[in-house]
Amino acid sequence: MNRGIVYDGVPSKEELASCPGVPSEERMRQGRVAVIECVQEIPCNPCSFSCKFNAITIGDEITNLPHLNENKCTGCGQCVANYPGLAITIIDKSYSDKEAVIDFPFEYLPLPQEHQVVDAVNRYGEVVYKGIIKKVKQVKAYVGTTVVSMIIPIEFADEVRSMKRLAR
């Protein structure tokens, strides 16, 4: 079965492995860092303008894939809120020996509450495990996008990318 962004709308493991926006495992274990899962060469560049540390670059062609300089990235999260899609998250695998934290954009209502247990989902929207909401951030600089921080078991940090919508 063919997998990948053009077949099912979700990047394959092979596509992610060659993606210049995905930081090294070593860097993810050092603290908060952006993970840019952009694998299509399309005309898009807002992520490069949203990073005040110049950690994200596109280059001369607007269709270039974004490149993450993991040494410049502070994990501030501004790129998560300013990117027009779900391709950027912040991962922190240094949170504890057993848990990681993932920050992701969440544009649904109702919003989760801090300490709430929710269904953590993968790139396909399938429930992977339970997550605990650490923080719900709504800041003016985030241009109307809410960014949710969720604690998950560290073994699911490369798989979990969001949470299941809550019932109204």
Side-chain angles (χ1 to χ4, degrees):
M1 178 177 166
N2 288 330
R3 301 255 335 167
I5 199 80
V6 298
Y7 297 103
D8 55 21
V10 175
S12 67
K13 288 182 182 184
E14 295 78 22
E15 288 170 323
L16 291 172
S18 65
C19 184
V22 176
S24 67
E25 180 68 24
E26 178 183 3
R27 175 58 183 89
M28 285 190 269
R29 292 194 178 271
Q30 291 173 1
R32 295 173 54 83
V33 65
V35 177
I36 309 167
E37 296 184 350
C38 183
V39 298
Q40 286 186 302
E41 295 176 331
I42 58 173
C44 182
N45 66 355
C47 57
S48 65
F49 293 113
S50 69
C51 183
K52 64 183 177 183
F53 301 101
N54 296 315
I56 304 170
T57 55
I58 300 292
D60 293 334
E61 296 294 324
I62 195 170
T63 56
N64 288 344
L65 295 178
H67 180 271
L68 176 72
N69 182 328
E70 62 185 41
N71 298 317
K72 288 184 177 182
C73 181
T74 65
C76 71
Q78 191 65 44
C79 56
V80 174
N82 287 321
Y83 191 77
L86 303 174
I88 304 179
T89 56
I90 301 292
I91 302 281
D92 182 359
K93 291 185 180 181
S94 73
Y95 184 69
S96 80
D97 290 342
K98 297 182 180 192
E99 297 173 317
V101 175
I102 180 170
D103 292 11
F104 54 89
F106 194 75
E107 298 177 338
Y108 303 105
L109 294 175
L111 292 172
Q113 302 299 308
E114 290 184 16
H115 310 292
Q116 183 176 0
V117 176
V118 297
D119 289 326
V121 300
N122 63 16
R123 292 170 188 87
Y124 288 94
E126 301 163 336
V127 176
V128 174
Y129 204 80
K130 296 289 184 186
I132 301 169
I133 301 303
K134 181 178 182 206
K135 193 166 193 167
V136 179
K137 300 175 233 172
Q138 294 180 297
V139 241
K140 195 178 211 178
Y142 284 2
V143 214
T145 298
T146 300
V147 175
V148 173
S149 295
M150 181 171 54
I151 302 166
I152 54 172
I154 199 164
E155 62 264 27
F156 299 117
D158 294 329
E159 188 175 355
V160 168
R161 286 299 173 264
S162 190
M163 61 172 270
K164 189 174 178 183
R165 285 179 69 174
L166 300 171
R168 287 189 150 219

